[in-house]
């Protein structure tokens, strides 16, 4: 999470949407950068609205605008899979060894899958009941997000390519992908609305 005090702007770092690159590019411009632990770095909308937002408003007398990115939901899950494969090299038990993306998607689709995998959902991150982040941009159209930030922060921004996961097979059958999209209906609805 990055807080831009003068601009009354907060970047909420939705996981697997380029947040590390954004934080690297903008940390020096931010009044506060919460990057560790991951729980603070990835403060969701509900937590912000309950805790951080009211405190910021009490200090300034003004509400802060929240901004975030959202990735196409199935592509977001593919990114999580690649990330977990890469991180698995540091795990002596290699939980992801031999797990295909199709199997990973099945695990995610289980009743407790998102929480068991430690992933959650983008709608869960970006919404709080009927409310959501003030400005949500599509990851796939990141230039719109950069243009917004350049206008708000009054500077040119160039995002570095970092934290890029390995290329692996993330194909699904048409039927499996359709089932996954149905399971991720809340994410799909939010994504289609932006």
């Amino acid at each position: 999470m990055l807080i831009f005090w003068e601009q009354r702007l907060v970047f909420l770092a939705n996981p697997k949407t380029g947040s590390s690159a954004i934080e690297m590019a903008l940390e020096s411009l931010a009044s506060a950068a919460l990057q560790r632990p991951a729980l603070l770095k990835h403060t969701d909308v509900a937590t912000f609205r309950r805790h951080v937002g009211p405190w910021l408003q009490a200090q300034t007398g003004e509400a802060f605008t929240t901004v975030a990115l959202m990735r196409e939901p199935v592509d977001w899950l593919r990114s999580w899979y690649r990330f977990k494969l890469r991180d698995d090299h540091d795990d002596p038990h290699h939980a992801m060894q031999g797990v295909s993306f199709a199997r990973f998607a099945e695990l995610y689709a289980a009743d407790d899958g998102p929480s068991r995998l430690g992933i959650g959902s983008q709608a869960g991150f970006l919404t709080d009941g009927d409310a959501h982040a003030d400005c949500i941009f599509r990851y796939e159209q990141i230039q719109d997000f950069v243009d917004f930030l350049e206008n708000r922060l009054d500077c040119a921004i160039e995002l570095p390519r970092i934290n890029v996961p390995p290329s692996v097979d993330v194909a699904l059958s048409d039927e499996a992908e359709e089932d996954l999209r149905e399971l991720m209906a809340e994410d799909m609805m939010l994504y289609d609305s932006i």
Side-chain angles (χ1 to χ4, degrees):
M1 177 170 56
L2 298 175
I3 301 171
F4 301 92
W5 189 268
E6 295 298 322
Q7 295 84 2
R8 306 297 193 252
L9 182 69
V10 174
F11 167 68
L12 298 175
N14 183 15
K16 312 317 311 154
T17 61
S19 58
S20 294
I22 292 161
E23 288 173 337
M24 179 176 277
L26 301 178
E27 180 182 11
S28 65
L29 300 173
S31 304
L34 303 175
Q35 296 182 9
R36 287 179 210 84
L39 187 63
L40 289 178
K41 173 181 177 168
H42 298 295
T43 297
D44 62 26
V45 168
T47 302
F48 177 83
R49 288 173 49 99
R50 284 182 186 83
H51 304 290
V52 182
W55 180 80
L56 290 172
Q57 188 164 358
Q59 301 307 308
T60 63
E62 298 177 60
F64 279 57
T65 300
T66 54
V67 61
L69 286 162
M70 182 177 190
R71 195 171 193 154
E72 192 283 325
V74 175
D75 189 46
W76 175 80
L77 192 62
R78 287 181 170 113
S79 183
W80 266 114
Y81 173 71
R82 290 188 300 265
F83 173 78
K84 286 189 172 285
L85 279 179
R86 184 190 65 198
D87 270 13
D88 191 50
H89 295 296
D90 296 331
D91 180 355
H93 303 291
H94 297 286
M96 293 294 293
Q97 186 173 0
V99 176
S100 67
F101 178 64
R103 177 66 184 138
F104 185 76
E106 289 173 6
L107 293 170
Y108 184 79
D111 287 340
D112 64 342
S115 61
R116 190 163 34 101
L117 291 172
I119 294 174
S121 74
Q122 291 185 94
F125 183 91
L126 295 167
T127 63
D128 180 21
D130 291 336
H132 53 74
D134 298 313
C135 300
I136 303 173
F137 293 88
R138 289 183 174 197
Y139 171 84
E140 295 78 11
Q141 296 167 333
I142 200 163
Q143 189 58 49
D144 293 341
F145 173 72
V146 170
D147 292 344
F148 171 85
L149 288 177
E150 287 181 340
N151 287 331
R152 285 294 293 263
L153 303 176
D154 194 28
C155 67
I157 297 170
E158 188 169 328
L159 299 179
R161 284 192 46 86
I162 61 166
N163 206 16
V164 179
S167 284
V168 294
D169 181 14
V170 289
L172 286 175
S173 69
D174 290 344
E175 182 180 339
E177 185 161 337
E178 186 58 36
D179 289 346
L180 190 56
R181 289 182 185 284
E182 286 178 26
L183 172 81
M184 302 173 91
E186 192 176 359
D187 281 9
M188 296 301 301
M189 194 175 347
L190 179 60
Y191 183 77
D192 289 343
S193 75
I194 57 175

